[in-house]
Structures are given as C-alpha cells and as structure tokens.
Amino acid sequence: MEQYKKEFIDFMVECKVLKFGSFTLKSGRHSPFFMNAGAYVTGSQLMRLGEYYAQAIHANFGDDFDVLFGPAYKGIPLSVATTIAYSKLYGKEIRYCSNRKEAKDHGADKGLLLGSDLKDGDRVVIIEDVTTSGKSIDETYPIVAEAAKVKVIGEIVSLNREERAPDLGADGKPQSALERITEKYGFPACAIVSMSEVVEQLYKKGSEGVITDEIKAEIDAYYKEWGV
C-alpha cells in the first residue's frame, strides 16, 4: 500500500471522520463503520485533506485535466482544497467548479455554477466524499454534461466502501458503487483508499488496534451480507 494511503487512513481516524460502532446509513443498512467528511473543520485538516486527494488524483488520472468539479454541498470545500493542493504539489493550475442547489438569478455570477465556468473541451474530474450506492452521480453528471461539451476523465472519492450497489451489473452480477458509475457512464471511478485497505492498516489481532477482533468480526459479517 502506498505511503499516502496509510497516512490518509490514520488521518481519517485522527480527525474522527472514520468511526466504528453501529450506524444506520441513508440506504437503511446497519453498518459497523461510518465516514463523515463534514468532520474536517480546521485549516490544517482541510490542507492535508486536499493534499491526499491531489495525490490520489495524480496517481489515478495524471495531470491531463482542466477542472475539478465538486457537487454541492460537501464537494465545494473538497474541490477548493484539492485545487490549491494540486498547484502546490504538482505545479499545475487547475480550476474548481461547483454547483448551487438553486440557480442564482442576479449579479455577475448568476446561474447554477460557482467558481470557474465549464467550457467546451474542458477535461473534468468529479470529486466527492464517499458514495454507497453510486447514485449521487446521477444528479451530478447531467449538471456537468449540460453546462458545456466537456469530457469527464473520472471521479474520485475518499473511501471505496466496497459494498453492493442496488443495481446489478450488465452481466447480472452484484457490483460496487464505483463499478456501477464506470459501467453506466464510461469513466473510471476511484477512491483514495478502499475499506479493505483500511482494515489492513488498522486491524491488529487482539485489542491493540483501532479495529479490534470484535469490530473485525462485525465488519466481516457486514461484508458477507453486503460486500462485492
């Protein structure tokens, strides 16, 4: 596992973004872990978060893109922080763009988008916090595609939960949320880290690790039911 991935996993725990216990997800599933990107609240946390995203984008997509699109609401600070980090780490000036939940009808920046406009020919990477079902992109992609004749290079999230999306794949088999996005829209959907990498990093047999034997058993049972 790459060093930045190990550091990011520890960072999520340190910031209390990744928690273990008993949680009810939006989907109604009962999960032994939960990730809340809204817990990144300080300047230093957002700076480091942007750098981890930038490293993952660089590793997965290289530098061949122009705009980082972060859907409202959590995608807005993610896109801003990562755009700054990308300039710092790789010397590449990319633009950030986000959407409003409701179009602004006055002023010089009226319309649905804030930040940079999307232009014909732009190559776009979409950035989100996490996706469980893969269906959030069904709202985001039309916004991007209708704004201009752009090419979506890919999507990046922080954590691949590696669990079944509601829809089966074209082959009739279960697929993950990220696999659903790739199959439906034709661009790769990646994550900074996967849940299996989180377990690899945090589990130590006994009770010394962040993931104890008890938590590991709960995670294993969850993936036996919902994993892909």
Side-chain angles (χ1 to χ4, degrees):
M1 193 191 318
E2 293 91 330
Q3 184 62 30
Y4 79 87
K5 291 188 174 189
K6 295 179 181 179
E7 292 176 2
F8 179 64
I9 292 167
D10 292 337
F11 175 62
M12 284 194 291
V13 175
E14 173 191 325
C15 296
K16 296 181 173 55
V17 166
L18 181 62
K19 296 182 178 181
F20 299 93
S22 180
F23 306 93
T24 301
L25 305 179
K26 186 178 180 181
S27 63
R29 295 176 185 174
H30 296 284
S31 173
F33 63 92
F34 184 72
M35 201 212 85
N36 173 27
Y40 298 115
V41 293
T42 70
S44 61
Q45 288 173 345
L46 289 169
M47 179 181 68
R48 289 177 64 188
L49 178 62
E51 290 175 354
Y52 290 127
Y53 264 107
Q55 290 176 83
I57 291 170
H58 189 264
N60 285 283
F61 306 121
D63 292 329
D64 193 23
F65 70 103
D66 308 293
V67 181
L68 194 56
F69 185 89
Y73 288 103
K74 288 181 181 177
I76 297 174
L78 292 179
S79 62
V80 172
T82 306
T83 299
I84 295 169
Y86 215 90
S87 175
K88 173 186 173 183
L89 294 179
Y90 302 109
K92 165 102 175 176
E93 291 288 12
I94 56 174
R95 303 168 355 243
Y96 95 90
C97 179
S98 295
N99 66 295
R100 297 181 173 94
K101 288 292 187 180
E102 296 180 359
K104 185 179 178 183
D105 62 2
H106 62 280
D109 62 340
K110 66 181 179 180
L112 187 63
L113 302 181
L114 55 89
S116 171
D117 288 333
L118 292 176
K119 305 173 184 177
D120 289 351
D122 276 343
R123 297 155 298 174
V124 179
V125 172
I126 297 171
I127 183 170
E128 290 195 272
D129 56 343
V130 67
T131 180
T132 301
S133 67
K135 293 197 172 184
S136 59
I137 193 70
D138 295 340
E139 297 179 8
T140 301
Y141 184 80
I143 295 170
V144 175
E146 291 168 12
K149 295 178 181 177
V150 304
K151 179 178 181 181
V152 177
I153 301 299
E155 179 178 19
I156 187 78
V157 300
S158 57
L159 177 66
N160 180 0
R161 290 184 61 99
E162 297 181 304
E163 59 190 82
R164 293 203 308 269
D167 304 332
L168 296 177
D171 58 2
K173 296 180 180 179
Q175 59 181 348
S176 71
L178 298 186
E179 288 170 337
R180 175 190 181 273
I181 292 168
T182 298
E183 181 178 271
K184 183 172 183 178
Y185 292 100
F187 53 78
C190 309
I192 302 177
V193 293
S194 66
M195 196 57 202
S196 57
E197 289 171 325
V198 168
V199 173
E200 177 186 339
Q201 174 74 359
L202 298 180
Y203 173 61
K204 292 180 182 177
K205 199 166 185 178
S207 59
E208 295 182 1
V210 174
I211 296 178
T212 62
D213 287 344
E214 181 181 359
I215 295 172
K216 175 68 161 50
E218 292 172 354
I219 292 173
D220 289 345
Y222 183 77
Y223 278 103
K224 186 175 181 180
E225 183 175 5
W226 297 113
V228 291

